[in-house]
Amino acid sequence: MAPAPANMLLAVHCKKGDHLDLKDPIWSYICATYSDQQAHDAADDLAAVQQLRNDLVGLTGSLPDLRDTLARYYKALTVMETRFPISKDRSHVMISFTWYDAFRASKRTEQYSIHFEKAAIMFNLGAVLTQQALACDRTQDQGMKEAAKKFQEAAGAFAHLRDVAALRVEQPRPVDISPECASMLERLCLAQAQECVFEKARADKKSSALLARLTKQVSAFYSEVLRLLNSPPLNQHFDKSWTAHVQVKETLYDVESQLQQAAQLHKDDDIAPEIARLKEAHKSLILVKGQTKNCGKELVDNIKYDEEVLSTALVKAERENATVYLQRVPNFADLPPIQPYILVKSLPLSDIDASRESLFQSVIPDSSAKALSKYTEMVDNLIRQQKDKLEAASDEARLRLREWDMPEALQALDAGSAAALPDGLRAELEQLEDHGGVRHLHDLAAQIKDLRRVSIEELKKVESSLDKESSEDAEMRDKYSSRWNRPASAALNSSMREKIAGYNANLTAAGDSDARLEQRLMQNNAAFSALSIDAAVSQMPRLQAPMVSVGDEEPAMVVANLRKALAEIDELSAERASIEEALKEERNRDNILPKLMASSGRSDKIFNDELKKYDELKVNVDANVARQSELLVVINKNTAAYRQAFGFREWRQACEGAASGMRSKVALFLEVRDNFSEGLRFYMSLQEAISHLAQQVGDYSMTRQIQRDDLVEDLERPAQAAQQMQQMSLNPPRGGYGGPQQPPSGPPPPPHSYPPPAYQAGAPQTQGGYNPQAQNPHHYPPPTPQYYHQQPQSQPQYSQPPANPYMQQQPPQQPQARYGAYSQPMYGQQPQYQPLQPTQQQQQQQAYYNPYAQQSQASSSAPGAPTHSNPLWGNK
C-alpha cells in the first residue's frame, strides 16, 4: 500500500496596517503636559517605538525576527497605555490607528484607541506563531515537537486576545479581532497541535488504543471550530473553504479514531466490534466526500487513502469473522464511545510581560501610575473576596447534602427510582445490562453450537480423506496381488486415526457438558432475564408514608418542603456561576486610566466612584450566600422529620436484605457466563488442532497418491511393451527397417520397491516415503488444546484434546504465551493460538478428569477413548 499522504495544516495570515507617525503627536503631548526636558529624554524611546511599528507594518524580516518585533512593540504599547491617553479628546494624544481585516483585506477599520492597536498586534503575534509552526519539519522528531509547541503558543495568543485585548476594543469591533473569532482560532490551533502530538505518537509506535483517544480529541477540537464558524458573526465572514476544510478534517480524524480503535480490537481478537467500527467509519467517509469541492488536493488524497485502508481492513475482518470467529456484529450505537485524550493546552506568552520594561521612565506621572496600581489592587482584592464567599458556600452545600443523603433519600419515594438499590449492586446490574444481559448468554451458547458443528464437519472431512485413500490402496492390492508391494494404508495412518478417535471422544464429552450448561441456562433463564435495574427496583421495599403521623408535621408537607428547598439550592448554585462570570467581565472592562490621567485632584474620590460599579455584584453574592444558609436550616430540620416519619433507617436495612437474593442471582449469572466463555476457548483451540491434523492428512494423501501412480505405471509398462510388439509384428512398417522388428532381449525392469514412509514409527527416511517434515520444513504436529484451571465441581467443564502421544519425535519447542490466551499479533496479521502446558501444580489441582490420562500410562488401553469419573460430566 502506498504511504500515507502528507497532513495539511493551516496558518493564519497577518493583519495589514497603514503607516502612521507616533513620534510627533506623543512628543507634542509630553511637551505640553510635562516639560521639554522630559520630551527630550523620551526622544530615543519614541524613535525606537516608531521603528518597531514601521518594521511590523511592513512585515519585514524572518518569522522569528517578526515575532520578536511584535512582542517588543506589544510591551511598548502596554507601557504607553498607562502614560499617554490616546483618544479623540483634544487634551489627549490624537493618533488614528488603521488596520485591514485578515480574512477580508478590503475591510478597513480606523480607531483612536491604543486598545485597538494592541488587539491587532496580539492577533498578528498569534498568526506569526502559526506560520512558524507550519514551517517546522514535521518529518523529524524535533520538528513535530516544535510545531506542537508553536501551535499551543499561538492558541495562547488568541486566548489572550479573546479574554483581554478584544474586550477593550471600541464598538463596532472588527470581526477578525472579536472574541468569537479569537475563540475559533484558539481551538483551531489546539486541534493542529493535537495533530502534531498524534503524528509524534504514531511515529513512536504507541498503542492503537492511545492513538484512538488522541485522534478522537483532534476530531472534538475541529467540531468546536466548525460550530463557531457556523455561528454569527463568523458564518457571514469566512470563505466556504474554511468551513469545508474544518468539516473534512473533523470527519477524517473521527474515521482515524475508529480505525485505531478497530486495530486495537483486532489485537484483542474482539472481531465483532471491530467490524462495527470499520463500517461506521466507512459511512462517515462516504458522506464527507461530498464536501471536498472547496478543499485542497491534500485532503482529497487523505480521503482516498483512508478509504483504501478502511476497505482492506473491513474485508479482512469480515472474512475472519465468517470463517473463524462467527461472532454477531453489534450495532455501532451499542459500542462504548472512545474517550478523547487531550495532551495540549493554550500556553501563555512569556515575552509580552511589560512589568520590567524601561521605556518612557522619565515621563511617567508617578501619581497616576501609583494610583492606577492601587486601584487595580483594590479591585483584585474585592473580586477575590467575593469569589471566596461563593466557593465556600458551594463547598458547604455539597458537604451538608452528602451528610444528609440528599437528594437520594428523597428520590426513594419515586416509583422506579434506583435510589433503593445498594451502590455495589446497582453498578453490577448496570454492567450486565451494558453487555446485553441474558441475551449475551444465549449468544455465547449459539456460538458454541456453531463452533461444535464446524469442528464435527471438519473432523468428518479428515476421516473421509483417510477412508478414500485406504479404499484406493485396497483396490490396487486386489488388482495386482503380490506385485503391489508398498506398505498398506492401515499400517501408516494408524496414528492419525487415533487422533481422530481422540478428538471425537473429546467432542462427545464436551457435548454432554454443553447440554448440562444449556439446561442450567434454561432453568435460570427467567431469573437471569430479571437481572435489570428496573426488575431489581421492583423487588426492593417501597418507602411509603406512615399510616399515622407521629410528628408535628404531616409527611406530605415534609416531602414538599424538602423538594422545594433542594430545587432552590440548585438554582442558587447556577446563580453563583453567573455571578463569578459577571465579576470577571466587569474586571476586564474596568479601565480608569483616562480619568486618572485627566484628573488633577485626589484619586480617592475616583476610586470610590469607580468601585461602586461592583456594589450590585457584592449584594448578589451576599444574598446568595444568606439564602443558602436559610435553605440548609430548612433541609436539616425536614430531613430529620422525614427520616423519622418514613422509617428511613429500617427501610434501608430492608433494602440490603432484599438485595441479597439479587446478588446471588448476579453471582450465578457471572458463573454461567464464565463457563460459556471456557467452552468457547475449548472449541476454538480444538478447531486449531483439527486444522493442523487436516493439513497433515492432506499431505499424507497427496504423497500416497503420487506413490500409487508411479507404482501403477511400473506395473503396467511390461504389458504395454508386449502389446506394442504384437501390433508391430502384425503390421510391419514399410521401408526403412530392413526386416521385422525383434523384441527386446532380457527381462523387463522390475517395478519400484517402496519402503515404508518415514513417518512410520521406527522406519528410516527414504526417497518416495511420506514425511510431513520433509514435505514442508515448517510443518510441525499441530498444537493441541490444553485443560483449563480448576473450576467449582458444580459447573460444566470442557475436556481438551491432549498432546499427541503417538509421535515419537517431538516437535521443536514453541514459545508459550499466557495460559489459554492468544498471542497479540500486529494489526493485519492472523492471530496464533499458543496453548500453554499446565504447570505441575495445575496438574495436581485439575478439576476435571483427563480422559487421556490413563492412555499415556497404559499402552494396552485404546488411545483416545475417554473414561469419565467426575460426577460433573457423568460416569460412563
Side-chain angles (χ1 to χ4, degrees), residues 173-176 178-184 224-238 243:
R173 185 185 294 125
V175 175
D176 59 346
S178 65
E180 294 83 2
C181 184
S183 181
M184 183 273 293
E224 295 181 40
V225 176
L226 184 63
R227 177 182 58 81
L228 292 170
L229 282 173
N230 290 328
S231 302
L234 306 186
N235 58 345
Q236 301 296 328
H237 192 76
F238 281 82
T243 304

Side-chain angles (χ1 to χ4, degrees), residues 270-276 321 325-331 334-335 435-436 439-440 443 446-447 450:
D270 204 357
I271 198 75
E274 176 193 1
I275 295 175
N321 190 40
Y325 297 97
L326 304 176
Q327 296 181 6
R328 183 184 64 84
V329 178
N331 294 326
D334 297 332
L335 298 179
H435 287 81
R439 186 183 72 252
H440 177 59
D443 291 343
Q447 294 178 37
D450 291 340

Side-chain angles (χ1 to χ4, degrees), residues 638-839:
N638 285 274
T639 297
Y642 173 80
R643 288 174 174 271
Q644 181 180 2
F646 286 82
F648 184 81
R649 178 179 299 179
E650 294 77 6
W651 170 79
R652 179 60 75 182
Q653 293 175 353
C655 290
E656 289 290 342
S660 60
M662 187 64 67
R663 286 195 178 99
S664 63
K665 293 179 182 178
V666 170
L668 180 60
F669 178 95
L670 297 177
E671 202 171 295
V672 173
R673 184 195 64 184
D674 291 343
N675 288 159
F676 273 123
S677 299
E678 183 181 353
L680 282 176
R681 292 193 295 270
F682 164 79
Y683 281 110
M684 292 172 68
S685 59
L686 179 60
Q687 279 192 353
E688 182 79 10
I690 294 175
S691 175
H692 283 285
L693 179 59
Q695 181 180 355
Q696 182 181 356
V697 170
D699 294 345
Y700 161 79
S701 299
M702 181 178 64
T703 301
R704 292 281 287 177
Q705 181 180 357
I706 294 173
Q707 293 177 352
R708 181 199 66 193
D709 295 342
D710 289 345
L711 185 54
V712 169
E713 182 181 354
D714 291 343
L715 294 175
E716 295 292 338
R717 188 179 295 116
Q720 293 175 357
Q723 183 179 4
Q724 292 177 0
M725 291 301 296
Q726 183 180 4
Q727 291 178 356
M728 292 177 64
S729 64
L730 296 175
N731 301 300
R734 297 181 179 179
Y737 288 93
Q741 296 288 334
Q742 297 296 328
S745 60
H752 291 235
S753 177
Y754 291 93
Y759 57 81
Q760 189 176 11
Q765 177 66 41
T766 60
Q767 184 177 2
Y770 171 69
N771 184 357
Q773 280 80 2
Q775 296 292 329
N776 183 0
H778 302 289
H779 176 76
Y780 298 110
T784 53
Q786 304 298 321
Y787 291 93
Y788 291 93
H789 295 287
Q790 180 172 347
Q791 296 292 336
Q793 291 283 333
S794 60
Q795 300 304 321
Q797 296 289 330
Y798 292 88
S799 175
Q800 303 295 334
N804 182 8
Y806 307 104
M807 298 297 293
Q808 296 187 1
Q809 294 183 352
Q810 296 299 324
Q813 292 296 325
Q814 300 294 321
Q816 301 297 324
R818 183 174 59 84
Y819 188 78
Y822 284 90
S823 60
Q824 299 297 324
M826 294 299 294
Y827 185 57
Q829 297 180 356
Q830 294 291 339
Q832 296 183 353
Y833 187 80
Q834 299 177 341
L836 182 64
Q837 297 292 342
T839 63

Side-chain angles (χ1 to χ4, degrees), residues 78 146 163 190 271 394 398 470 557 589 615 617 650 699 804:
T78 302
E146 189 66 19
D163 297 335
L190 289 177
I271 198 75
S394 298
R398 182 169 56 255
S470 298
M557 183 61 65
R589 291 194 300 265
D615 288 349
L617 293 175
E650 294 77 6
D699 294 345
N804 182 8

Side-chain angles (χ1 to χ4, degrees), residues 338-628:
I338 301 173
Q339 298 300 323
Y341 186 30
I342 181 171
L343 287 180
V344 296
K345 64 179 180 179
S346 301
L347 297 179
L349 302 178
S350 59
D351 53 354
I352 61 172
D353 183 14
S355 59
R356 298 184 179 181
E357 190 60 49
S358 60
L359 292 174
F360 306 111
Q361 288 186 350
S362 61
V363 296
I364 297 177
D366 186 65
S367 58
S368 297
K370 291 182 178 179
L372 181 62
S373 177
K374 181 179 180 181
Y375 176 77
T376 302
E377 184 178 356
M378 293 171 64
V379 171
D380 290 342
N381 289 335
L382 183 151
I383 293 177
R384 189 182 304 110
Q385 291 174 2
Q386 302 309 311
K387 286 187 175 181
D388 289 344
K389 289 182 181 180
L390 295 175
E391 291 176 2
S394 298
D395 292 341
E396 182 184 8
R398 182 169 56 255
L399 293 175
R400 298 290 293 276
L401 291 178
R402 183 181 303 172
E403 177 185 350
W404 299 328
D405 200 16
M406 287 290 172
E408 289 78 7
L410 193 61
Q411 293 172 353
L413 290 174
D414 300 333
S417 172
L421 295 177
D423 294 338
L425 178 59
R426 186 190 311 174
E428 290 180 340
L429 292 175
E430 289 175 350
Q431 184 178 13
L432 292 184
E433 288 184 343
D434 292 342
H435 287 81
V438 70
R439 186 183 72 252
H440 177 59
L441 297 184
H442 287 286
D443 291 343
L444 292 176
Q447 294 178 37
I448 287 178
K449 289 181 179 179
D450 291 340
L451 290 172
R452 176 179 176 82
R453 175 183 53 79
V454 172
S455 299
I456 293 174
E457 292 175 355
E458 294 298 323
L459 202 56
K460 287 182 178 179
K461 291 179 181 179
V462 173
E463 189 171 9
S464 297
S465 180
L466 288 179
D467 293 341
K468 180 181 178 183
E469 190 279 326
S470 298
S471 175
E472 292 174 350
D473 182 71
E475 181 180 351
M476 293 295 102
R477 196 172 300 279
D478 293 340
K479 179 177 181 181
Y480 295 103
S481 186
S482 61
R483 290 190 296 162
W484 193 257
N485 60 355
R486 72 170 184 170
S489 297
L492 300 178
N493 60 20
S494 59
S495 63
M496 289 177 280
R497 290 191 179 277
E498 287 168 352
K499 284 186 181 181
I500 294 175
Y503 292 163
N504 278 321
N506 277 340
L507 281 169
T508 301
D512 295 339
S513 184
D514 294 344
R516 287 182 173 86
L517 191 55
E518 290 185 13
Q519 181 181 6
R520 193 175 188 193
L521 174 59
M522 292 299 101
Q523 290 174 350
N524 296 279
N525 189 70
F528 291 164
S529 300
L531 292 180
S532 64
I533 296 292
D534 295 338
V537 170
S538 64
Q539 298 180 23
M540 295 296 106
R542 181 76 180 275
L543 185 63
Q544 297 179 347
M547 299 297 295
V548 179
S549 176
V550 295
D552 297 336
E553 298 185 14
E554 291 293 330
M557 183 61 65
V558 172
V559 172
N561 292 338
L562 282 174
R563 293 188 186 278
K564 180 180 179 181
L566 290 172
E568 286 194 49
I569 287 288
D570 292 338
E571 294 175 0
L572 291 177
S573 179
E575 181 182 328
R576 284 194 291 273
S578 64
I579 292 175
E580 289 187 11
E581 187 64 24
L583 287 170
K584 177 182 177 181
E585 292 178 358
E586 190 64 40
R587 172 66 179 84
N588 291 332
R589 291 194 300 265
D590 196 358
N591 181 23
I592 67 169
L593 180 61
K595 295 182 180 180
L596 289 175
M597 298 294 293
S599 175
S600 59
R602 293 176 58 84
S603 57
D604 292 342
K605 184 177 184 303
I606 299 177
F607 292 165
N608 293 333
D609 292 340
E610 292 297 322
L611 288 175
K612 288 180 181 179
K613 66 171 70 80
Y614 296 96
D615 288 349
E616 182 178 356
L617 293 175
K618 291 169 60 179
V619 170
N620 293 340
V621 171
D622 293 338
N624 184 286
V625 174
R627 179 55 184 163
Q628 177 177 281

Side-chain angles (χ1 to χ4, degrees), residues 78-91:
T78 302
V79 172
M80 294 166 60
E81 177 185 359
T82 59
R83 291 158 174 81
F84 314 123
I86 300 177
S87 69
K88 293 182 179 181
D89 193 325
R90 294 184 178 274
S91 61

